[in-house]
């Protein structure tokens, strides 16, 4: 294999690091690519400025050129309960374990901050996310009918899921 061939077939490697204010713009871009109602830089900055909110971003460590942010997770922990506020992974790196690693980082941090359980909401039609959350041990504890609305005006149900962190 030539050096060029090895570069072209290089498997991406990622590190998961804490999100900071400088990440808000890149996070908002990925969020906009992933959700019908995108959050702006200011919304992410405002949330991240709160003491009880934390997040993680994935960065490719073996890229020669700066690449768009491949994934992030944002969470909040209050009085023993944590909540995943939002998570997104670029479609082209979906099903590579990046979402799993981001969720693991958020769950560890929530537990370190005193969280005993963690909640999230997910569109009932989002099969890849549901599969991930179930593999991580989340169970459905409720639903909100007509909660999500897509760009075409269709509505779907949000499943409320919970995982014990103890």
């Amino acid at each position: 294999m030539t050096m060029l061939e090895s570069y072209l077939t290089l498997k991406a490697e990622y590190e998961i690091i804490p999100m900071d204010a400088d990440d808000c713009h890149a996070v908002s871009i990925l969020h906009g690519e992933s959700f019908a109602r995108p959050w702006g830089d200011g919304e992410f900055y405002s949330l991240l400025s709160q003491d009880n909110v934390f997040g993680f971003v994935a960065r490719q460590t073996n890229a020669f050129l700066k690449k768009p942010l491949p994934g992030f997770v944002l969470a909040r922990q209050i009085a023993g309960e944590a909540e995943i506020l939002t998570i997104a992974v670029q479609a082209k790196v979906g099903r590579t374990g990046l979402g799993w690693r981001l969720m693991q980082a958020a769950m560890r941090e929530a537990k370190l901050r005193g969280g005993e359980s963690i909640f999230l909401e997910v569109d009932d039609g989002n099969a890849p996310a549901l599969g991930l959350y179930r593999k991580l041990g989340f169970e459905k504890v409720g639903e909100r009918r007509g909660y999500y609305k897509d760009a075409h005006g269709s509505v779907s149900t949000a499943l409320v899921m919970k995982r014990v962190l103890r």
Side-chain angles (χ1 to χ4, degrees):
M1 181 181 290
T2 69
M3 197 153 150
L4 178 60
E5 289 171 326
S6 66
Y7 170 73
L8 294 175
T9 60
L10 186 66
K11 183 178 178 186
E13 296 174 8
Y14 302 100
E15 65 179 344
I16 307 299
I17 59 173
M19 184 187 300
D20 64 31
D22 292 339
D23 295 315
C24 290
H25 180 69
V27 164
S28 71
I29 290 171
L30 180 53
H31 193 272
E33 294 170 356
S34 306
F35 295 96
R37 203 283 233 188
W39 298 357
D41 304 22
E43 290 169 286
F44 281 103
Y45 183 80
S46 177
L47 284 165
L48 202 54
S49 298
Q50 299 171 27
D51 289 338
N52 62 334
V53 175
F54 56 93
F56 294 91
V57 295
R59 295 238 187 268
Q60 188 172 347
T61 58
N62 62 341
F64 294 106
L65 302 172
K66 186 173 178 170
K67 297 197 171 207
L69 192 69
F72 75 90
V73 62
L74 189 68
R76 166 174 43 211
Q77 197 275 326
I78 301 172
E81 290 186 347
E83 172 188 18
I84 299 296
L85 299 171
T86 187
I87 179 172
V89 173
Q90 279 183 340
K92 69 181 180 179
V93 295
R95 305 194 64 78
T96 63
L98 198 54
W100 175 275
R101 292 178 59 201
L102 287 162
M103 287 293 295
Q104 289 287 342
M107 291 187 304
R108 271 193 307 275
E109 182 66 20
K111 190 173 181 179
L112 283 172
R113 290 174 177 237
E116 295 178 13
S117 58
I118 189 165
F119 292 84
L120 58 80
E121 292 173 352
V122 59
D123 189 314
D124 67 349
N126 188 342
L130 283 168
L132 170 64
Y133 301 145
R134 287 183 179 127
K135 284 180 188 173
L136 286 165
F138 282 83
E139 296 178 353
K140 178 185 163 189
V141 293
E143 59 183 54
R144 295 186 172 128
R145 295 197 181 279
Y147 187 76
Y148 293 114
K149 185 183 273 189
D150 69 15
H152 308 292
S154 298
V155 294
S156 58
T157 298
L159 300 181
V160 180
M161 302 182 82
K162 174 185 176 181
R163 182 184 188 277
V164 174
L165 295 173
R166 288 181 256 128

